[in-house]
């Protein structure tokens, strides 16, 4: 059984321990501003992995909207919904589960 989780906002994949200890290096500020825990904003259910060593130079990173994020492993699709407190802070939020914002 894997202990990997993916951030529902940026798609970064890390272990549960890494998210618990350090949060999401791309999104932690947003989660703190919203007053929610990192674990509420990650999911153990995700599909596909893409390794990004130079996100600013990658067309795939741009397609996944992570071209301004740190290098790492990113999920293509992440199941789950972010808490409303986070979504309310993001006027251009696009869910990573393939659904649309209502």
């Amino acid at each position: 059984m894997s202990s990997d989780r993916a951030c529902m906002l940026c798609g970064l994949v890390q272990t549960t321990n890494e998210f618990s200890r350090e949060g999401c290096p791309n999104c932690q500020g947003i989660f703190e501003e919203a007053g929610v825990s990192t674990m509420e904003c990650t999911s153990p259910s995700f599909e596909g992995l893409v390794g990004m060593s130079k996100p600013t130079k990658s067309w795939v990173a741009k397609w996944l909207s992570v071209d301004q994020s740190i290098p790492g492993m990113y999920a293509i699709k992440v199941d789950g919904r972010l808490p409303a407190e986070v979504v309310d802070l993001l006027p251009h939020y696009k869910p990573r589960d393939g659904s649309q914002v209502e």
Side-chain angles (χ1 to χ4, degrees):
M1 187 168 155
S2 174
S3 67
D4 290 342
R5 297 180 73 88
C7 175
M8 288 188 266
L9 184 53
C10 72
L12 181 69
V13 175
Q14 298 187 128
T15 65
T16 300
N17 287 340
E18 288 172 314
F19 277 122
S20 293
R21 279 193 323 265
E22 303 156 15
C24 178
N26 295 319
C27 308
Q28 196 58 35
I30 295 167
F31 301 157
E32 289 172 2
E33 185 178 343
V36 298
S37 75
T38 302
M39 297 312 284
E40 292 177 85
C41 301
T42 64
S43 173
S45 178
F46 57 89
E47 297 176 26
L49 283 175
V50 176
M52 300 289 173
S53 59
K54 294 181 182 174
T56 58
K57 300 189 183 295
S58 168
W59 69 267
V60 176
K62 188 170 184 163
W63 174 67
L64 289 173
S65 301
V66 295
D67 52 317
Q68 299 303 312
S69 299
I70 68 162
M73 297 297 287
Y74 288 83
I76 303 285
K77 180 181 173 189
V78 183
D79 296 327
R81 289 296 186 125
L82 281 170
E85 298 88 346
V86 176
V87 175
D88 290 346
L89 294 174
L90 306 167
H92 303 290
Y93 170 64
K94 180 180 170 189
R96 292 203 173 269
D97 66 358
S99 67
Q100 298 296 318
V101 176
E102 297 173 6

